[in-house]
Amino acid sequence: MRRLLLLLLVVAGLSPGLLWRDGLPKEVYTQSIELLPLALPGAADRRIGGSGGPLLTGAWQLKSPNFDFGSYSALVVPKPGILLSISDRGKYLRFGMPGSAAAGVEIGTVLPGSDSYKPLQDMESATRDPASGRIWIGLEFSQAFLRLDPDFSRHRMIAPPEMRHWRANGGPEAMTRLRDGRFVVIAEQAIHWSDTSREALVFARDPLDGGRPAKFRFTPPPGYDPSDMTQLPDGRVLILLRGLKFFPPGFAVRLVMADPADIKPGGDWPWRDVGELSSPIPMDNYEGLAATGGENGGPLTLWLISDDNQSKIIQRSLLLRFEWKPPALR
């Protein structure tokens, strides 16, 4: 009973969709956003996980009058200097990275005509093939993959039978296409409440080209769920984890790193802790992760974006930038 009461308090504090969601905005479709810089904490408080961890170098609040703006739950880099974020309302935002020469803003619907059809809206993860430009999106409500051309002009969808029993609100939240052509996807929530691990799949090739995946497990730290992941230049995968804090109500965010070479069918995927994000780093419901740079041993740039749950009071659409040189492979 005590745990239930604590959970209700957190839900009350973090669920604008139930209690404090703003009234529906006017249907404005202006193609513009504001990137409002946020004050950075002192040098000692900018790192994740202490010395050697990712260093916060920029933080912005994103705002737009566009009716389709917000609720971002996945992040990819379609071109140098460009970020593409996908929302769990079936919308997208394409914009230039802060500090880059890339310009232009585009806000729209991934699949026109899907606005009233929940199974085609709940987009929670995304990944991309740099050679073809194709984009894959994980649909949580329908437990499916959506493959699109770079301009979203054509699409195909498949619902693998291995994902049909995943929870409606706990499906393919974290997904990435590895450079060798394999696809890794992790369920957000455990199938049974008593289980601490998440079901995960690795496809030998594009899931839409056929072939059954191998099953394995991913066990996050207690209190965390996988939210997104991206592959680094050295082959390892960086995984974004999200949880809830009870007092005061808020979000817990963590990064861990894992090596695809350690994936064993039926086994548990081992990971290495990178560290926890904590105040005074701006905190929110971070669900999107992308990485750029890092070639030839240079530093990586990490980008995190948050899901505001359509709230302008309780939560915000935040973008964070970190610089990091990961520890060498062992």
Side-chain angles (χ1 to χ4, degrees):
M1 181 59 70
R2 181 174 177 272
R3 292 182 63 186
L4 178 59
L5 290 174
L6 290 175
L7 181 59
L8 290 174
L9 285 173
V10 172
V11 170
L14 298 176
S15 297
L18 296 176
L19 298 177
W20 290 295
R21 175 170 290 182
D22 303 319
L24 289 176
K26 295 180 181 179
E27 294 196 19
V28 176
Y29 296 100
T30 303
Q31 297 290 301
S32 66
I33 61 170
E34 289 183 276
L35 278 77
L36 306 176
L38 303 179
L40 297 180
D45 297 317
R46 292 188 194 176
R47 286 196 183 274
I48 300 173
S51 178
L55 174 68
L56 180 69
T57 59
W60 298 265
Q61 181 177 359
L62 279 59
K63 290 187 174 183
S64 175
N66 194 295
F67 182 74
D68 291 335
F69 176 83
S71 300
Y72 297 114
S73 57
L75 192 65
V76 295
V77 180
K79 294 180 181 179
I82 299 292
L83 290 171
L84 172 65
S85 192
I86 308 296
S87 83
D88 56 19
R89 298 163 54 212
K91 311 298 180 182
Y92 69 88
L93 166 65
R94 188 181 283 113
F95 65 106
M97 297 174 180
S100 77
V105 173
E106 186 179 359
I107 303 172
T109 301
V110 176
L111 292 178
S114 64
D115 286 349
S116 60
Y117 189 54
K118 175 69 171 176
L120 291 182
Q121 290 181 356
D122 199 356
M123 301 178 180
E124 296 287 352
S125 55
T127 190
R128 178 179 176 272
D129 174 15
S132 67
R134 280 177 167 175
I135 294 171
W136 289 260
I137 294 175
L139 293 162
E140 187 174 67
F141 192 84
S142 55
Q143 316 303 10
F145 297 124
L146 184 67
R147 187 180 71 193
L148 304 109
D149 285 351
D151 60 357
F152 297 165
S153 59
R154 295 184 301 172
H155 73 274
R156 285 184 57 199
M157 189 170 71
I158 187 172
E162 292 83 1
M163 290 165 47
R164 288 175 186 167
H165 65 288
W166 288 9
R167 296 172 65 174
N169 197 38
E173 185 85 15
M175 172 177 65
T176 193
R177 178 191 182 275
L178 303 178
R179 284 190 297 278
D180 61 12
R182 290 181 294 162
F183 284 72
V184 178
V185 58
I186 305 174
E188 178 186 13
Q189 297 178 5
I191 305 303
H192 304 291
W193 67 270
S194 59
D195 197 353
T196 58
S197 65
R198 312 296 187 266
E199 291 194 5
L201 304 172
V202 56
F203 294 82
R205 54 182 176 177
D206 182 349
L208 285 92
D209 290 340
R212 301 268 61 86
K215 298 180 180 180
F216 65 103
R217 312 285 295 184
F218 174 78
T219 304
Y224 287 92
D225 297 314
S227 181
D228 203 0
M229 60 179 167
T230 188
Q231 189 174 29
L232 307 181
D234 65 12
R236 289 176 291 183
V237 171
L238 191 63
I239 305 172
L240 175 65
L241 306 173
R242 177 195 51 181
L244 295 175
K245 291 183 177 179
F246 293 105
F247 295 112
F251 290 99
V253 181
R254 198 173 202 96
L255 292 171
V256 301
M257 191 162 50
D259 192 337
D262 295 330
I263 294 176
K264 308 297 181 187
D268 204 327
W269 195 15
W271 49 264
R272 175 178 180 177
D273 190 32
V274 174
E276 181 183 13
L277 277 74
S278 58
S279 180
I281 293 175
M283 295 300 295
D284 214 296
N285 182 27
Y286 292 105
E287 292 197 19
L289 169 68
T292 57
E295 293 81 8
N296 302 316
L300 281 166
T301 300
L302 304 179
W303 299 92
L304 273 67
I305 197 166
S306 67
D307 177 357
D308 66 357
N309 285 310
Q310 295 180 265
S311 169
K312 296 179 182 177
I313 300 174
I314 306 298
Q315 295 173 240
R316 300 176 290 176
S317 292
L318 299 184
L319 179 71
L320 301 184
R321 182 186 65 202
F322 293 87
E323 299 297 324
W324 184 42
K325 191 170 183 179
L329 273 168
R330 290 175 292 182

